[in-house]
């Protein structure tokens, strides 16, 4: 069914033809008076994001709302991108630029950056502490004697507890003195650490929301005290606040929505802003952060004086009837009341597997079959594999690279490399650019090059010495201190050198590393800024923008990392825990595959950020831009790679072909087993698991696969009615084919292409068979079929990893090769 409203809908029509339906149109055209709340509850694929984008356009075109008066917030960058993509189809570029569409965290971050200086005299530019920076901080400051501003105090606490203490103090859960007594800590030590963090502008990701809330409150307090308008201009400008993915809200985000809606609006008297929220309670999967499906109802209590209207959309544009029906039945035991605009498809597929490894192989080879058999109609990027944990993604990606040499891409909520060992690249760049808090980056890197027992104690000593030196050398940096010490060392007047005393281990080797590291920093800084200054002299905007490029940054990072001696650290696998006896060579190999993925992630992050930088009007260097935005700017994937994602990360996305990994590492049971057997009834159902399954299964546009440990006839009658265990024969199923073709908007390849695809698939199968039955080494065989037209043309037949020379190269060379290749 495609119930399309005729009159007003023509005005909301997109140039390429998507027209809002009647229920969508009711939401789009709903008024946006002050003191009103519009709640949109709708299921997966009903077009909530699509409808919100059209509503924004409608309010601007027909309701006298200026683009700059609209604030749109969501949880994830992906949701923000989706809204912007739809807006781009219906509004012009200039209008879109004036609308604020952002994630809660990024919005808060910009608010703090832009306005804190007006409200706090001694405000320092902030440095966002991601998880790894925070761990480094805890490692450096969690023990021994710390001396800050001349005071030396003793502290002794584990890094994990320190992290907890500081977070709890920050959110006001505990006072400093109470925390000190509870954790048996020196109160002065704790105070000094907090002061140090504030002085350097250190801020945790979650603190962004708290700080923004504080800023909003402080601006209102000033207004009350001073009695004159001291409002934050952006906030007082908004008249309409729109929140997508509302089912994911948790306490802090609700507080900020509350403050924003209640923030005074210029020329609007006492009236509060209009609020539109959209979400699906059945897709609430962030319980661990505090989100609850009921929040969509509880919001009414936050705005008692508001006129509230609730609307819904009962159709889905993503799911086939079969997938929609199965999802509701298996997840919640209910019939779906959603009508599919796509009509009939084929039943989802459930397959029995005997081990997790076997399931992974099945998935990969099924993707290969689908791509080959349809002559390249299906691209690798049309397929996504959904897992519960990142660990499973690592295992699948390892098999994909080692056995099949396939391209894959892991979807992450931010850029993956930031959460890995490559985080040290970020530290290098902070130092290179002398960003706020860069002395902390220096300490973090020093902790890595001196990796012997006692390194935390040595770093504390170094930090204390630097602080005493600072008494006579105000405002000079740790880098200056180290340089001064090393110059004295080279003049051999070194008996009294503090640095030498601290690093007396290792015959000078740490000192040498520090020395060459600092030199390389100076050299690379000169190179980069010389290029920038030369460009400034030309006064040509283009030349200035291109004066610091991703390639230059990569080269600098590489040179500095080499001088720092940090490549060993990057190339070394993480420790596997004492109890696991594992083959060391295997661990090393595994690490190299993962490292390859991280490097791609870093490289694409640079590329993506550079593209945004070139488009932006802001005056800054690319290095500045990258350091400010690398947490938020995530590259959009390419067509040649199969997608891998946890279910949480894939929320809000849709793919033609979806595989849900069924088997779990622990025990022989499928994680979903309670949903698939008669075990679960409406009373015993684990609703968090149900919602997670629902989110996973409703990502599928055409074909859905699920793994199980049991054969279909041993599963519940619901499973038997809503699934099949037969693999889809795409060319023989007209329903599935027409569904896929409409979905993909690509023509069916010619007969010849289909034929050669089939041929290639047979070659793949038979060579794989030979490989499996032969115990001899098998050399890499390129697929020599004439079908060189589709993306898998240079697909490599299984190669035992020992025969691959790719990773025998020196790791640093590999790194450089990979990094440069993509630039
Ligand atoms: N009126 C329409 N006509 C055609 N396609 C539509 C229409 N409305 C939405 N769609 C399409 O339906 C798909 C799902 O839309 P959208 O992502 O906005 O759904 P959603 O409700 O936000 O889903 P989820 O809750 O799963 O995140 C998109 O591909 C979108 O383009």
């Amino acid at each position: 069914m495609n119930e399309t409203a005729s009159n007003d809908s023509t005005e909301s029509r997109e140039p390429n033809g998507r027209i809002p339906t009647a229920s969508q149109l009711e939401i789009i055209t709903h008024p946006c008076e002050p003191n009103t709340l519009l709640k949109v509850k709708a299921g997966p694929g009903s077009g909530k994001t699509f409808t919100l984008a059209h509503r924004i356009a409608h309010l601007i075109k027909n309701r006298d709302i200026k683009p700059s008066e609209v604030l749109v917030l969501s949880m994830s960058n992906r949701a923000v991108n989706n809204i912007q993509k739809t807006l781009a189809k219906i509004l012009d570029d200039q209008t879109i630029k004036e609308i604020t569409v952002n994630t809660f965290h990024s919005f808060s971050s910009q608010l703090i950056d832009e306005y804190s200086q007006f409200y706090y005299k001694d405000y320092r530019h902030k440095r966002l502490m991601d998880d790894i920076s925070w761990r480094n901080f805890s490692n450096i400051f969690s023990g021994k004697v710390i001396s800050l501003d001349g005071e030396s105090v003793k502290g002794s606490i584990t890094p994990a507890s320190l992290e907890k203490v500081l977070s709890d103090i920050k959110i006001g859960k505990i006072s400093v003195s109470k925390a000190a007594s509870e954790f048996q800590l020196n109160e002065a030590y704790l105070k000094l650490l907090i002061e140090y963090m504030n002085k350097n502008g250190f801020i945790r990701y979650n603190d962004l929301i708290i700080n923004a809330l504080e800023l909003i409150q402080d601006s209102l307090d000033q207004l009350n005290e001073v009695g004159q308008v001291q409002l934050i201009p952006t906030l007082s400008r908004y008249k309409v606040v729109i929140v997508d993915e509302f089912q994911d809200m948790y306490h802090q985000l609700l507080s900020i929505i509350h403050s924003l809606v209640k923030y005074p609006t210029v020329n609007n008297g006492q009236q509060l802003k209009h609020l539109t929220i959209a979400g699906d309670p059945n897709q609430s999967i962030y319980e661990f952060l505090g989100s609850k499906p009921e929040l969509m109802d509880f919001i009414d209590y936050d705005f008692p004086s508001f006129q509230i209207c609730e609307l819904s959309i009962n159709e889905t544009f993503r799911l086939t009837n079969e997938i929609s029906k199965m999802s509701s039945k298996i997840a919640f035991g209910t019939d779906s009341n959603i009508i599919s605009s796509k009509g009939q498809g084929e039943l989802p597929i459930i397959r029995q597997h005997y081990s997790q490894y076997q399931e992974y192989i099945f998935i990969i080879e099924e993707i290969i079959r689908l791509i080959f058999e349809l002559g390249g109609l299906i691209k690798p990027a049309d397929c996504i594999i959904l897992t519960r944990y990142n660990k499973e993604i690592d295992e699948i990606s390892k098999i994909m690279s080692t056995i099949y040499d396939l391209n894959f891409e892991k979807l992450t909520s931010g850029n993956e490399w930031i959460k890995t060992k490559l985080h040290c690249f970020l530290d290098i760049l902070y130092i290179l650019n002398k960003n706020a808090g860069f002395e902390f980056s220096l300490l973090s890197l020093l902790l890595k090059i001196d990796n012997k027992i006692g390194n935390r104690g040595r770093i504390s000593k170094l930090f204390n010495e630097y602080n005493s030196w600072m008494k006579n050398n105000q405002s000079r940096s740790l880098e200056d201190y180290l340089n001064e010490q090393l110059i004295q060392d080279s003049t051999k007047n070194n008996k009294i050198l503090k640095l030498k005393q601290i690093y007396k281990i290792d015959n000078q080797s740490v000192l040498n590393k520090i020395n060459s590291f600092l030199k390389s920093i100076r050299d690379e800084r000169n190179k980069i800024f010389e290029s920038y200054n030369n460009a400034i002299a030309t006064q040509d905007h283009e030349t200035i923008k291109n004066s610091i490029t991703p390639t230059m940054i990569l080269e600098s990072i590489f040179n500095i990392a080499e001088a720092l001696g940090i490549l060993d650290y990057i190339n070394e696998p993480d420790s596997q825990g004492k109890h696991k006896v594992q083959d060391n060579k295997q661990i090393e190999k595994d690490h190299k595959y993962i490292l390859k993925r991280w490097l791609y992630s870093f490289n694409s992050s640079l590329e993506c950020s550079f593209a945004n930088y070139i488009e932006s009007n802001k005056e800054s260097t690319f290095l500045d831009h990258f350091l400010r935005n690398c947490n938020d700017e995530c590259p959009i994937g390419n067509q040649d790679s199969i997608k891998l994602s946890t279910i949480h990360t894939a929320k809000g996305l849709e793919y033609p072909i979806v595989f849900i990994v069924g088997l779990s590492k622990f025990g022989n049971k499928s994680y979903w087993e309670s949903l698939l057997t008669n075990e679960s009834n409406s009373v015993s159902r684990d609703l968090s698991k149900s919602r997670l399954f629902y989110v996973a299964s409703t990502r599928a546009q055409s074909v859905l696969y699920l793994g199980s440990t049991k054969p279909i006839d041993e599963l519940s009658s619901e499973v038997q009615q809503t699934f099949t265990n037969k693999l889809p024969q795409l060319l023989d199923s007209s329903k599935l084919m027409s569904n896929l073709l409409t979905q993909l908007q690509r023509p069916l390849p010619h007969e010849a292409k289909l034929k050669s695809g089939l041929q290639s698939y047979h070659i793949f199968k038979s060579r794989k068979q030979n490989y499996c039955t032969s115990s001899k080494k098998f050399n890499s065989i390129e697929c020599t079929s004439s079908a060189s037209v589709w993306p898998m043309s240079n697909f490599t037949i299984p190669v035992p990893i020992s025969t691959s020379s790719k990773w025998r190269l020196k790791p640093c060379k590999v790194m450089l090769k990979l990094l440069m290749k993509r630039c």
Side-chain angles (χ1 to χ4, degrees):
M1 190 197 79
N2 200 342
E3 188 198 337
T4 307
S6 51
N7 301 333
D8 289 341
S9 64
T10 42
E11 164 236 307
S12 294
R13 178 196 283 270
E14 291 175 1
N16 69 353
R18 285 188 304 183
I19 310 170
T21 60
S23 53
Q24 289 178 333
L25 205 59
E26 198 182 346
I27 296 163
I28 294 168
T29 55
H30 189 82
C32 63
E33 301 307 315
N35 294 334
T36 59
L37 162 65
L38 170 64
K39 284 203 270 184
V40 179
K41 276 191 193 170
S46 55
K48 290 182 286 299
T49 310
F50 167 90
T51 307
L52 290 184
H54 279 263
R55 175 162 170 74
I56 297 164
H58 171 84
L59 299 182
I60 292 169
K61 287 182 189 165
N62 304 302
R63 299 267 173 180
D64 209 18
I65 295 287
K66 296 194 187 86
S68 58
E69 293 169 348
V70 181
L71 167 65
V72 190
L73 292 171
S74 190
M75 271 278 275
S76 64
N77 285 313
R78 270 174 231 287
V80 166
N81 288 343
N82 278 346
I83 297 176
Q84 268 163 341
K85 257 198 258 162
T86 309
L87 283 177
K89 293 190 175 137
I90 38 183
L91 291 173
D92 62 81
D93 286 354
Q94 188 47 42
T95 312
I96 295 173
K97 266 191 195 147
E98 289 172 36
I99 308 171
T100 313
V101 187
N102 218 335
T103 61
F104 281 91
H105 287 89
S106 180
F107 175 75
S108 302
S109 170
Q110 284 168 17
L111 203 66
I112 298 165
D113 267 353
E114 236 168 284
Y115 297 107
S116 290
Q117 52 194 312
F118 300 120
Y119 294 95
Y120 312 115
K121 272 200 292 314
D122 48 0
Y123 173 73
R124 291 283 305 261
H125 215 70
K126 69 183 160 42
R127 157 155 185 186
L128 194 62
M129 298 285 272
D130 49 51
D131 287 347
I132 294 193
S133 303
W134 185 245
R135 210 174 308 147
N136 288 339
F137 182 86
S138 310
N139 270 324
I140 292 169
F141 292 110
S142 59
K144 310 281 184 305
V145 174
I146 286 283
S147 142
L148 290 156
D149 287 344
E151 270 188 75
S152 280
V153 285
K154 222 174 160 183
S156 174
I157 183 170
T158 61
S161 305
L162 180 66
E163 176 163 356
K164 184 162 173 18
V165 169
L166 292 177
S167 299
D168 286 356
I169 294 173
K170 176 80 202 166
I171 57 168
K173 205 167 156 187
I174 193 167
S175 69
V176 177
S177 55
K178 196 145 182 247
S181 83
E182 213 165 272
F183 286 81
Q184 296 179 343
L185 271 176
N186 187 333
E187 190 176 332
Y189 162 82
L190 209 48
K191 276 190 179 148
L192 281 179
L193 280 191
I194 294 169
E195 202 182 300
Y196 176 72
M197 286 183 73
N198 291 341
K199 212 167 87 186
N200 283 284
F202 291 161
I203 183 169
R204 285 283 285 158
Y205 190 64
N206 281 333
D207 293 345
L208 285 173
I209 306 284
I210 301 173
N211 283 21
L213 277 167
E214 270 172 20
L215 175 68
I216 294 173
Q217 191 52 49
D218 288 344
S219 78
L220 292 176
D221 290 349
Q222 276 198 23
L223 173 70
N224 295 337
E225 277 165 27
V226 183
Q228 49 176 285
V229 180
Q230 290 284 339
L231 291 174
I232 298 175
T234 343
L235 301 189
S236 55
R237 196 180 66 208
Y238 298 128
K239 289 190 175 157
V240 171
V241 178
I242 294 181
V243 180
D244 195 8
E245 308 211 62
F246 194 85
Q247 74 279 349
D248 297 333
M249 295 304 109
Y250 49 89
H251 176 70
Q252 275 179 3
L253 302 186
L254 285 177
S255 308
I256 201 144
I257 294 173
H258 201 250
S259 312
L260 292 170
V261 173
K262 293 199 166 171
Y263 202 82
T265 312
V266 169
N267 301 333
N268 232 15
Q270 294 296 309
Q271 310 223 68
L272 307 183
K273 301 172 202 292
H274 164 80
L275 173 65
T276 295
I277 61 170
D280 177 7
N282 284 337
Q283 293 186 60
S284 170
I285 53 171
Y286 284 98
E287 275 157 327
F288 53 91
L289 292 177
S291 49
K292 291 189 192 106
E294 307 81 63
L295 284 183
M296 280 200 83
D297 296 323
F298 291 171
I299 182 98
D300 300 6
Y301 300 109
D302 277 338
F303 300 100
S305 62
F306 270 39
Q307 199 184 329
I308 299 170
C309 172
E310 186 173 317
L311 295 174
S312 61
I313 315 171
N314 286 331
E315 57 250 312
T316 176
F317 294 89
R318 175 185 307 143
L319 310 177
T320 59
N321 272 332
E322 286 74 9
I323 295 177
S324 168
K325 184 172 163 197
M326 180 281 292
S327 302
S328 296
K329 206 69 191 167
I330 303 301
F332 306 110
T334 55
D335 287 323
S336 164
N337 57 359
I338 304 174
I339 299 151
S340 165
S341 67
K342 297 169 103 175
Q344 299 291 112
E346 290 286 358
L347 288 175
I349 301 120
I350 190 157
R351 294 290 287 190
Q352 183 188 15
H353 306 291
Y354 298 97
S355 70
Q356 212 179 22
Y357 181 76
Q358 197 209 7
E359 181 174 16
Y360 296 160
I361 296 283
F362 163 78
I363 294 176
I364 296 167
E365 295 200 355
E366 183 63 0
I367 294 177
I368 293 170
R369 180 179 78 92
L370 297 176
I371 295 174
F372 273 133
E373 282 194 353
L374 286 186
L377 170 73
I378 293 175
K379 312 269 179 231
D382 297 327
C383 307
I384 189 163
I385 305 173
L386 298 178
T387 67
R388 286 179 55 234
Y389 300 112
N390 281 313
K391 183 95 188 77
E392 293 164 332
I393 295 182
D394 289 344
E395 285 161 0
I396 302 172
S397 56
K398 191 179 108 193
I399 299 176
M400 280 187 172
S401 333
T402 54
I403 306 186
Y404 297 91
D405 202 13
L406 286 171
N407 284 341
F408 57 84
E409 181 186 345
K410 180 183 172 185
L411 307 185
T412 49
S413 45
N415 284 310
E416 186 184 15
W417 66 271
I418 294 183
K419 297 168 195 151
T420 71
K421 283 184 161 185
L422 298 198
H423 184 276
C424 62
F425 290 0
L426 196 59
D427 284 319
I428 290 177
L429 294 179
Y430 274 131
I431 302 170
L432 199 62
N433 202 38
K434 293 195 169 179
N435 270 56
F438 82 97
E439 115 194 344
F440 168 67
S441 289
L442 200 45
L443 290 174
S444 305
L445 291 177
L446 293 181
L447 197 65
K448 300 219 158 45
I449 51 174
D450 166 23
N451 55 4
K452 300 253 159 43
I453 293 173
N455 56 353
R456 279 171 42 195
R458 286 189 286 280
I459 277 287
S460 300
K461 271 192 203 146
L462 172 68
F463 186 69
N464 293 344
E465 290 302 341
Y466 160 59
N467 275 303
S468 340
W469 177 82
M470 277 262 283
K471 273 185 253 159
N472 301 323
N473 295 277
Q474 285 293 321
S475 322
R476 295 192 61 196
S477 70
L478 176 62
E479 189 182 340
D480 295 335
Y481 171 69
L482 291 173
N483 276 325
E484 191 177 294
Q485 287 272 309
L486 289 163
I487 290 167
Q488 286 181 32
D489 184 38
S490 67
T491 57
K492 304 293 172 207
N493 174 20
N494 56 18
K495 280 215 173 90
I496 33 90
L497 270 189
K498 300 287 181 200
L499 198 58
K500 192 125 189 160
Q501 284 165 13
I502 296 169
Y503 290 106
K504 52 186 176 252
I505 45 149
D506 255 5
N507 299 329
Q508 192 73 18
S509 94
V510 175
L511 282 191
N512 288 344
K513 277 187 195 167
I514 299 179
N515 202 359
S516 65
F517 167 52
L518 293 178
K519 184 177 173 312
S520 70
I521 287 277
R522 284 193 301 274
D523 291 349
E524 297 306 318
R525 206 183 266 148
N526 287 344
K527 237 192 270 173
I528 284 201
F529 291 102
E530 193 181 308
S531 165
Y532 181 65
N533 290 333
N534 289 343
I536 296 262
T538 66
Q539 295 189 348
D540 176 51
H541 183 69
E542 281 289 294
T543 317
I544 297 172
K545 281 243 150 174
N546 282 290
S547 62
I548 301 179
T549 62
T551 314
M552 285 169 74
I553 291 184
L554 284 172
E555 267 169 5
S556 291
I557 290 180
F558 181 71
N559 290 340
I560 296 168
E562 201 174 35
L564 181 64
I566 212 167
L567 291 177
D568 288 346
Y569 156 79
I570 295 171
N571 280 307
E572 206 168 276
D574 285 328
S575 66
Q576 300 288 310
K578 284 181 216 146
H579 306 297
K580 283 191 189 160
V581 183
Q582 279 201 25
D583 173 3
N584 276 346
K585 274 200 175 147
Q586 189 55 44
I587 293 172
E588 246 173 60
K589 273 178 197 161
D590 292 354
H591 179 66
K592 278 177 189 146
Y593 294 111
I594 293 174
L595 182 57
K596 179 179 167 186
R597 200 177 75 204
W598 295 347
L599 290 169
Y600 273 125
S601 157
F602 181 70
N603 212 43
S604 341
S605 161
L606 265 180
E607 277 175 1
C608 161
S609 189
F610 190 62
N612 290 342
Y613 165 73
I614 292 288
E615 264 190 23
S616 74
N617 295 325
K618 298 236 168 89
E619 296 294 325
S620 63
T621 66
F622 170 52
L623 187 52
D624 269 333
H625 175 93
F626 181 67
L627 289 174
R628 249 183 303 110
N629 297 295
C630 63
N631 271 294
D632 294 320
E633 290 176 343
C634 301
I636 300 161
N638 66 44
Q639 281 292 304
D640 289 341
S641 55
I642 297 166
K643 309 298 171 206
L644 296 166
S645 171
T646 61
I647 300 170
H648 281 94
T649 304
K651 217 176 131 290
L653 299 179
E654 51 188 9
Y655 285 84
I657 295 160
V658 172
F659 291 82
I660 306 176
V661 167
L663 271 59
S664 82
K665 193 153 186 76
F666 315 102
N668 291 329
K669 262 192 168 182
S670 152
Y671 173 71
W672 310 112
E673 196 148 312
S674 61
L675 296 176
L676 302 176
T677 57
N678 291 320
E679 266 174 49
S680 78
N681 55 44
S682 52
V683 183
S684 68
R685 202 176 287 275
D686 169 356
L687 282 174
S688 346
K689 187 185 278 190
S690 297
R691 289 195 291 269
L692 195 65
F693 179 80
Y694 192 65
V695 167
S697 62
T698 56
R699 298 309 96 205
Q701 292 169 312
S702 296
V703 191
L704 173 72
Y705 295 79
L706 174 68
S708 153
T709 38
K710 293 188 173 163
I712 191 165
D713 49 15
E714 286 178 27
L715 298 170
S716 69
S717 56
E718 281 97 345
V719 173
Q720 291 177 36
Q721 283 158 20
T722 55
F723 276 104
T724 172
N725 61 351
K726 303 221 166 36
L727 293 185
Q729 298 307 316
L730 300 177
L731 284 169
D732 296 341
S733 165
S734 55
K735 270 193 284 184
L736 203 55
M737 268 323 280
S738 76
N739 206 304
L740 260 176
L741 293 174
T742 328
Q743 193 63 63
L744 299 171
Q745 299 196 333
R746 297 176 203 137
L748 183 66
H750 300 302
E751 187 107 340
K753 235 176 170 186
L754 289 171
K755 214 166 143 193
S756 62
L758 269 174
Q759 255 174 16
S760 293
Y761 182 60
H762 290 311
I763 297 174
F764 161 70
K765 287 298 267 185
S766 62
R767 295 212 176 153
K768 188 183 166 252
Q769 193 65 29
N770 287 342
Y771 164 63
C772 291
T773 50
S774 146
S775 57
K776 286 181 200 149
K777 277 186 183 170
F778 190 85
N779 288 325
S780 158
I781 302 169
E782 291 290 311
C783 185
T784 50
S785 143
S786 56
S788 55
V789 271
W790 69 81
M792 299 276 293
S793 57
N794 54 3
F795 177 76
T796 316
I797 303 297
V799 190
I801 186 61
S802 54
T803 64
S804 164
S805 60
K806 206 154 68 176
W807 290 106
R808 294 232 184 106
L809 295 169
K810 276 210 158 129
C812 60
K813 270 196 195 158
V814 172
M815 170 175 145
L816 189 63
K817 202 177 113 204
L818 281 168
L819 291 174
M820 296 300 176
K821 206 170 103 185
R822 304 261 322 231
C823 257

